Amino acid sequence: MSHGSNDTKAEAPGALGEAQLLEIYDFALDLGRRAGKILLDGVDQRCGDEEGRGQNEVDKMNAVDIVTQTDLDVEAFVKNEITARYPSHNFIGEETYSTGNSKEYLVTDSPTWIVDPLDGTVNYTHLFPMFCVSIAFCISGVPVIGIIYAPILDVTYSALTGHGAWLNDSTPSSPAPSHKRRQQLPLVRNPIPVLPEAAPKGCVFSCEWGKDRRDVKDGNMWRKVESFLTMAAESSGRDGKGGMVHGVRSLGSATMDLAYVATGAFDIWWEGGCWEWDVAAGICILREAGGLITTANPPSDIDTDPIEEVRLGSRLYLAIRAAGDSATETGRQAQERVVRETWKRVYNLDYSRPGA
Ligand code: IPD
Ligand code: CA
């Protein structure tokens, strides 16, 4: 469906007009599907290739931070399409950025595309279906359009600020398959479920091990695993801090994690180390689905410090799903309660970067 008649919420953002943003949204949805087709072609080729798995991976930072020829091909394709259609817009893509030496935050106030051509590259090389193309369009540093397309699953998650977040959205040139129902996010909406009273008990907690595998006590990997243990442990465990979460999940793709928080399948996502292309589209979709996203690191006063909106380049993320109002608190109050309950159980992570 075209988005001209779409429902819900506030005004469209920024200097670009509503009609232009709807046109960019349709373009991005279509582009996501076309880029996903290239990923699938790569899978098909490998499945028919006797040399098999891993034939063209190259390490970046270490043996778990890899790039395949497909990452490069898809990014080149997406970049060409965007620059041909919108030559005045800026473009930041994971692979283009990674070839530079700086780790600086490069997103400005100008209209900017932030693209991860393949989020979940390790999954891709192992044919675990949680990988996707992730395309965001930002104005004034804020993602206002987010498109995620997971080609093996053949699902799209998308949002344009002010127009809701959607599973399986379509454009006239890029229809969703007829057997896939278009649904607004979060999926359970009438009513949106409240967050558990004893949260994190009762919540599905998602997290990622990440790529910093330095085996040093107090390093990021150690701090993450200690935090996972505290969130998972029985309530009496860990000096009474045990979170007793319902389940712990790691999809291996930050973008997909965020999409699952947007659907409501995950209640909490806590992660450090991701870059802007890993999260920009997911942040837009999550917010439009009523989710909250702030920083992973606990502030000095966990009970009273304000809960600030996440900074895109901060590399530290804590996301909470949309929450319904209850008799005793609003959905927003419940989300903030779960933020603070999570902060009580996690360590500070150190993913600093120049200029951040
Ligand atoms: C990675 C995945 C992973 C997250 C890493 C990301 P990539 O992206 O999103 O889940 O933990 O921080 O870099 O390399 O597969 O595009
Ligand atoms: Ca990637």
Side-chain angles (χ1 to χ4, degrees), residues 13-336:
L16 289 167
E18 176 84 0
Q20 282 167 297
L21 284 166
L22 286 164
E23 189 257 351
I24 294 171
Y25 184 25
D26 282 350
F27 166 79
L29 262 172
D30 187 55
L31 184 59
R33 290 237 175 76
R34 286 189 292 143
K37 172 83 174 52
I38 304 176
L39 293 181
L40 266 195
D41 289 346
V43 169
D44 287 346
Q45 268 169 23
R46 286 192 29 235
C47 288
D49 183 337
E50 286 169 14
E51 284 177 36
R53 160 186 304 180
Q55 58 184 329
N56 61 4
E57 303 159 19
V58 173
D59 295 354
K60 291 199 276 192
M61 180 179 77
N62 61 28
V64 296
D65 188 14
I66 55 175
V67 59
T68 68
Q69 187 56 44
T70 312
D71 295 61
L72 302 172
D73 292 348
V74 175
E75 180 156 320
F77 168 75
V78 171
K79 186 176 181 181
N80 281 342
E81 293 290 311
I82 290 173
T83 47
R85 177 80 167 249
Y86 301 109
S88 66
H89 293 178
N90 294 340
F91 178 91
I92 295 175
E94 170 167 15
E95 306 313 334
T96 321
Y97 183 96
S98 299
T99 54
N101 291 323
S102 142
K103 291 289 172 208
E104 265 172 63
Y105 183 63
L106 300 178
V107 182
T108 64
D109 281 351
S110 305
T112 301
W113 294 80
I114 303 183
V115 172
D116 191 340
L118 170 50
D119 191 50
T121 306
V122 169
N123 289 343
Y124 181 77
T125 64
H126 289 259
L127 296 184
F128 180 61
M130 291 292 167
F131 60 82
C132 59
V133 182
S134 180
I135 299 175
F137 178 66
C138 298
I139 299 174
S140 302
V142 177
V144 295
I145 291 172
I147 308 291
I148 297 171
Y149 181 60
I152 287 195
L153 305 173
D154 196 12
V155 293
T156 307
Y157 304 91
S158 72
L160 162 63
T161 299
H163 290 256
W166 300 90
L167 171 67
N168 292 327
D169 212 339
S170 296
T171 66
S173 61
S174 179
S178 56
H179 62 283
K180 306 245 177 184
R181 194 155 63 91
R182 177 179 187 258
Q183 287 172 276
Q184 191 165 4
L185 303 179
L187 292 173
V188 182
R189 314 180 41 79
N190 295 311
I192 296 173
V194 298
L195 281 162
E197 234 174 271
K201 189 175 179 186
C203 292
V204 172
F205 172 62
S206 65
C207 54
E208 295 291 337
W209 286 66
K211 293 172 179 168
D212 182 351
R213 304 293 176 85
R214 283 169 302 159
D215 189 11
V216 284
K217 180 142 180 352
D218 227 23
N220 281 322
M221 186 172 68
W222 185 93
R223 285 162 171 260
K224 280 188 169 185
V225 174
E226 285 296 315
S227 304
F228 302 166
L229 284 172
T230 306
M231 291 295 280
E234 58 184 327
S235 306
S236 60
R238 305 229 132 203
D239 296 327
K241 277 197 175 174
M244 194 65 183
V245 294
H246 228 176
V248 181
R249 302 285 182 271
S250 290
L251 297 184
S253 156
T255 313
M256 292 298 284
D257 287 326
L258 279 167
Y260 274 58
V261 182
T263 68
F266 292 167
D267 302 285
I268 304 170
W269 180 64
W270 179 76
E271 164 68 329
C274 297
W275 301 92
E276 31 283 17
W277 45 83
D278 296 313
V279 295
I283 287 175
C284 177
I285 294 165
L286 177 76
R287 283 182 175 146
E288 274 302 294
L292 178 160
I293 183 154
T294 185
T295 179
N297 278 357
S300 51
D301 189 337
I302 289 175
D303 290 322
T304 60
D305 277 354
I307 292 172
E308 285 172 1
E309 278 299 313
V310 74
R311 283 181 303 113
L312 186 56
S314 66
R315 306 188 68 203
L316 297 165
Y317 306 99
L318 171 57
I320 311 291
R321 71 158 166 86
D325 299 337
S326 74
T328 53
E329 59 185 356
T330 63
R332 175 69 194 199
Q333 286 168 332
Q335 290 174 318
E336 296 202 356

